[in-house]
Amino acid sequence: MNLVDFHCHLDLYPDFEELVRESERLRIFTLAVTTTPRAWARNSALASGTKHVKAALGLHPQLVAEHWRDFDLWERLLDETRYVGEVGLDAGPRHFHSLPRQEEVFRRILRRCAEAGDKILSIHSVRSASKVLDLIQEEVAPGRAKYVFHWFTGSRSEAARAAKLGCYFSVNAAMLLSDRGRALVGSLPSDRLLTETDGPFTREGDQPARPRDVLKALQLMASVKSWSSEECAAKVLRNLRSLSGG
Ligand code: MN
């Protein structure tokens, strides 16, 4: 089975380089998201020697309060990549104070992606899914970018709105441990589902999850949808192709 880990922070593991080699060896499509554009050069260099690892240019909303000035660097690097992330908004209690600044930065990111065209964004939307969708609709003309909501925790109606706008969802194992998460994933359209680990922020046993551990998300998703694991893997792969293809 070809696995897909559409959101993993490979550069936050002590064995970053080995993980890149592992994804390549196991043919796991791995999107190496970053939290700051300062991490771009190294991620891009390591991914460029592979077929299965892609680097994404990010500016994490949780870092925007202190690092919003990195937007200029993010902007200068945008031409080097098709993949953008991790970007978005975080309206949780710890980051609520920086929400105006986060909105300003995310708006500028969306605007630049709209101008450039053909970008694929991995999006963080903690307690802010509706706002994220509002900004997308305000800043990006239809068809100018594609979006993957990572670890979506919004409501079912927000998910339906996102799906209607053409968004995809990368689902991790932790999301599928609660009844609410399973019901949400069950409601998502089959042709918009991807898998992720969000490692190292999720765990597999007593270790941070690695891309190969995305198998667990795949198996849990398969059971929610009443598919076999093979069927689920084939659908996720097809979704990845339609996302990155036309
Ligand atoms: Mn993440």
Side-chain angles (χ1 to χ4, degrees), residues 9 62 122 136 181 216-217 231:
H9 298 263
Q62 295 175 349
S122 182
I136 286 172
K216 186 169 172 189
E231 214 177 343

Side-chain angles (χ1 to χ4, degrees), residues 7-9 33 35 60 86 124 150 198-199 201:
H7 187 108
C8 188
H9 298 263
V33 293
T35 57
H60 199 293
E86 179 165 0
H124 178 107
H150 122 79
D198 199 19
F201 299 108

